Amino acid sequence: MKLVPKKLVVLVAALAALLAAAGPLRAADWVLTGTGVRVKTIAFIDIDVYEISHFMKQAPASRSKQAVIDADVPKKFVWRMMRDVDREKIHDALTGAFAMNGYQDQAKIKAFLGAFKAELKEGSHVTIQYDPENKSTTALVGGGSASVAGVDFMKAVWSIWLGKIDQPKLGDQLIGRLK
């Protein structure tokens, strides 16, 4: 069947309306709860480090950062690097964030950081995902990965972006699409 331009326009408009009516952005039942940019401030200059998005398969009972941290459901963060960052800086930033949020299990932190084996290049991706069936948090970083068991560790990881953070608006952005 050959479509004439007018029919093509109608078809595209119908598809756009269908997508708009579908509601929140979904990918295989993952619901995007929000997106933001992690910024590092040096002196008076803000440097974009990575874009981060948060997804859940089930929304928490209440719309709060603490409710998302505590939710024992499938959830994940996805980063897209906006600049090159060396391994040591990533390790230092994550270690500092765990400490800022009061998490001190050094064995679990070290295991998690093991996924970050090399410099993260601009355009590369990091996925940090929690599996409630196995009670484990997995970091996928290029060719590296690490899984760490425990609900306590999952809550510590989610607290990095939704708990105490030097960029509080980022946490608000990461839950901004929750209803």
Side-chain angles (χ1 to χ4, degrees):
M1 179 170 121
K2 186 176 180 181
L3 291 176
V4 294
K6 186 175 182 179
K7 288 183 180 179
L8 183 57
V9 169
V10 171
L11 179 61
V12 169
L15 182 57
L18 181 62
L19 289 173
L25 179 61
R26 296 177 180 271
D29 294 323
W30 287 102
V31 177
L32 174 66
T33 65
T35 297
V37 174
R38 181 68 173 118
V39 174
K40 177 71 175 171
T41 302
I42 300 174
F44 297 101
I45 300 170
D46 287 343
I47 300 169
D48 294 344
V49 181
Y50 54 83
E51 178 182 65
I52 182 170
S53 297
H54 183 257
F55 300 85
M56 298 179 81
K57 286 201 173 188
Q58 179 183 340
S62 65
R63 185 187 182 272
S64 72
K65 290 183 274 190
Q66 191 61 52
V68 173
I69 291 168
D70 292 339
D72 192 9
V73 301
K75 54 188 176 181
K76 65 182 173 180
F77 290 107
V78 178
W79 307 357
R80 181 186 54 81
M81 297 303 298
M82 300 175 79
R83 64 182 311 102
D84 295 351
V85 179
D86 67 41
R87 174 184 169 271
E88 292 77 23
K89 286 184 181 175
I90 291 291
H91 280 220
D92 290 348
L94 291 171
T95 300
F98 282 119
M100 183 184 296
N101 284 283
Y103 192 76
Q104 299 178 5
D105 188 329
Q106 296 304 312
K108 288 184 177 184
I109 292 170
K110 183 177 179 183
F112 182 75
L113 295 177
F116 298 85
K117 297 177 187 226
E119 176 181 43
L120 294 175
K121 295 288 192 179
E122 181 178 347
S124 65
H125 289 85
V126 173
T127 299
I128 300 169
Q129 185 167 327
Y130 176 67
D131 178 354
E133 288 183 27
N134 296 325
K135 305 292 185 210
S136 66
T137 302
T138 301
L140 302 168
V141 185
S145 69
S147 291
V148 179
V151 173
D152 66 318
F153 187 72
M154 173 273 290
K155 289 180 180 184
V157 171
W158 261 253
S159 294
I160 290 173
W161 294 278
L162 302 173
K164 292 180 184 173
I165 182 172
D166 62 349
Q167 188 182 340
K169 289 182 181 179
L170 181 58
D172 296 333
Q173 292 168 336
L174 290 172
I175 67 163
R177 291 181 173 231
L178 281 176
K179 302 215 186 254

